[in-house]
Amino acid sequence: MRIVVGVAVVRDGKVLAAYRAGPDGGWEFPGGKVEPGETEEQAAVREIREELDLEIKVGASLGPAVGIDERHRLHVYLASIVAGEPVLREHAELRWFARDELDETTWLVPDRPFVRELLHQL
């Protein structure tokens, strides 16, 4: 089972989301696969640097990992920006969501439990 890390980057009470286009598209927490020899936190820092050109500080987990498919599990962490502004590289769109805009139904299914937990923390 391979772990995929998602990162809920929070700034000024808003969370950064990335839109994955396509027939199964939707909003997701940006991130990616943990490589061999990497911790989940290290993978989160690397993936956000590669995808968004941001330097982040990884914070608390938003709960236990959930299944994406038969081979992957998603684990989402809170994070804050240390340096940079998000750059759109791999997704169709980036958006900052205020707490009252976080409608979990517009998110990819594996991300939804983390959206619910995030609502309790914002």
Side-chain angles (χ1 to χ4, degrees), residues 34 42-43 58 111:
V34 178
Q42 288 168 332
V58 178
D111 293 74

Side-chain angles (χ1 to χ4, degrees), residues 37-109:
E38 236 179 5
T39 66
E40 291 181 16
E41 292 84 353
Q42 288 168 332
V45 169
R46 176 184 52 75
E47 286 286 346
I48 296 305
R49 184 182 302 128
E50 290 172 3
E51 286 187 15
L52 303 173
D53 202 24
L54 286 176
E55 294 299 324
I56 60 166
K57 178 180 181 193
V58 178
S61 164
L62 282 175
V66 300
I68 297 173
D69 57 32
E70 61 281 345
R71 295 180 13 237
H72 299 92
R73 294 184 62 75
L74 176 65
H75 195 180
V76 177
Y77 290 87
L78 286 169
S80 58
I81 296 175
V82 174
E85 285 295 322
V87 175
L88 183 63
R89 288 190 173 151
E90 297 186 12
H91 294 89
E93 184 180 348
L94 295 174
R95 180 174 161 201
W96 290 99
F97 283 89
R99 185 188 190 286
D100 62 353
E101 298 173 320
L102 288 171
D103 176 4
E104 70 182 64
T105 61
T106 63
W107 289 71
L108 297 177
V109 171

